[in-house]
Amino acid sequence: MKSFFLRPIIWFFTGILLVSTLFACQPQQVAETPTTNTTATPIQTTAPVTDTRPIAFLDRQLSANPAQLPPLPYPYNALEKAIDAETMKLHHDRHHATYVENLNNALNQYPQLQDRSVEALLRDLNSVPEDIRTTVRNNGGGHLNHTIFWQIMSPQGGGEPTGEIAQEINQSFGSFEEFRKQFNEAGGDRFGSGWVWLVRNPQGQLQITSTPNQDSPITEGSYPIMGNDVWEHAYYLRYQNRRAEYLNNWWNVVNWQEINRRAQASRQQS
């Protein structure tokens, strides 16, 4: 009698066991794991090739990404011994700022050029697309020239040079007075607009030269040590057509300390 009641229970549990075993033997669908590409993408570790020789600043070149107007290192009225405050304001805030704006507008058409410095672009103008080449030459040159110009003037400037630049000027030109005379003559003889420069030429020698418009000496392979702007916008409000008077007074604000630093840098670059 007891086995009669136990038999259905045994069958029940036996059936459950059989069904569980059959289910376990069925092939299970395994979720696919997305395949991941384990090949690493090479990382660009080298910077764009550019000329690393500093010109405008002794520790760095002028960036073209984008070009930026540097602040004046002194108040507008700080150079009154030679240049009035209104001329300084217009010269820096309008003229120099316009060169920067025009340069950026041109380079926006060719973003790959922004990886190069302004100096590198001017050293290799043939590599600049023809449709913006003149714009880069004029406005990149204007930006570079004026950046140097603000640095080589100082409210505490003037007098005669000291240090190594004084010795080298005497060796190259005979005396400081002779050098100043030749420099002023080159600035006065520049027809129209342009610059007068003391440069270190590719042969490593000091040389007085002048350039038209906003051309930079670096396009000819020379290192600009000091330069004076003889565009009329640099002096006309105070001097009108008396460029010679402006050239004479300009020596009262020449920053010989900065010029010495630039001369030393030019020796290392030549």
Side-chain angles (χ1 to χ4, degrees):
M1 191 71 174
K2 197 179 289 185
S3 62
F4 176 81
F5 287 106
L6 289 174
R7 191 175 297 128
I9 296 172
I10 293 170
W11 290 345
F12 174 77
F13 283 107
T14 300
I16 291 176
L17 181 61
L18 181 61
V19 170
S20 299
T21 302
L22 289 172
F23 181 80
C25 292
Q26 294 299 313
Q28 300 298 307
Q29 184 174 3
V30 179
E32 272 190 19
T33 302
T35 58
T36 303
N37 183 6
T38 58
T39 304
T41 302
I43 299 174
Q44 184 74 25
T45 57
T46 56
V49 176
T50 184
D51 196 318
T52 58
R53 291 176 291 172
I55 289 287
F57 296 104
L58 297 183
D59 60 340
R60 67 189 187 281
Q61 297 188 89
L62 289 179
S63 172
N65 192 21
Q68 295 183 348
L69 178 68
L72 280 177
Y74 32 71
Y76 296 121
N77 65 352
L79 306 180
E80 287 280 358
K81 289 183 289 185
I83 307 171
D84 59 282
E86 186 63 19
T87 293
M88 289 297 298
K89 185 176 178 63
L90 291 171
H91 200 169
H92 176 268
D93 295 2
R94 301 285 183 84
H95 289 280
H96 191 173
T98 298
Y99 299 135
V100 172
E101 181 181 3
N102 290 343
L103 177 62
N104 284 330
N105 288 340
L107 295 181
N108 283 340
Q109 304 172 52
Y110 297 91
Q112 69 275 16
L113 295 180
Q114 296 173 354
D115 291 332
R116 302 171 64 187
S117 68
V118 175
E119 290 90 334
L121 292 169
L122 292 173
R123 285 192 180 104
D124 190 14
L125 282 168
N126 287 335
S127 69
V128 177
E130 189 173 359
D131 60 321
I132 65 166
R133 189 176 301 159
T134 299
T135 301
V136 170
R137 178 175 184 164
N138 291 339
N139 293 279
H143 179 30
L144 175 62
N145 293 347
H146 284 87
T147 300
I148 296 171
F149 188 53
W150 310 133
Q151 296 174 52
I152 62 164
M153 297 187 293
S154 168
Q156 292 79 42
E160 295 193 7
T162 58
E164 292 184 3
I165 188 62
Q167 298 173 19
E168 202 168 2
I169 284 175
N170 289 336
Q171 292 169 0
S172 301
F173 303 99
S175 68
F176 172 63
E177 283 303 319
E178 181 61 25
F179 162 68
R180 185 166 68 173
K181 175 185 174 184
Q182 292 183 29
F183 193 92
N184 284 354
E185 287 176 350
D189 291 343
R190 167 48 60 189
F191 182 77
S193 300
W195 292 74
V196 55
W197 301 95
L198 174 67
V199 303
R200 192 173 302 283
N201 63 26
Q203 292 73 43
Q205 303 163 331
L206 290 189
Q207 179 181 349
I208 294 171
T209 186
S210 70
T211 56
N213 304 315
Q214 291 297 347
D215 284 2
S216 168
I218 71 171
T219 60
E220 303 297 329
S222 293
Y223 193 106
I225 296 173
M226 61 180 282
N228 193 0
D229 188 347
V230 294
W231 281 63
E232 285 190 341
H233 66 234
Y235 62 87
Y236 200 82
L237 289 182
R238 178 167 171 178
Y239 298 97
Q240 286 82 50
N241 64 327
R242 303 187 307 275
R243 184 191 287 183
E245 185 179 345
Y246 160 70
L247 288 167
N248 280 326
N249 285 347
W250 182 74
W251 295 98
N252 292 318
V253 295
V254 170
N255 184 353
W256 289 113
Q257 183 177 2
E258 180 64 20
I259 291 167
N260 251 311
R261 287 194 288 264
R262 296 189 64 82
Q264 183 178 11
S266 72
R267 294 183 200 102
Q268 297 168 356
Q269 304 296 332
S270 61

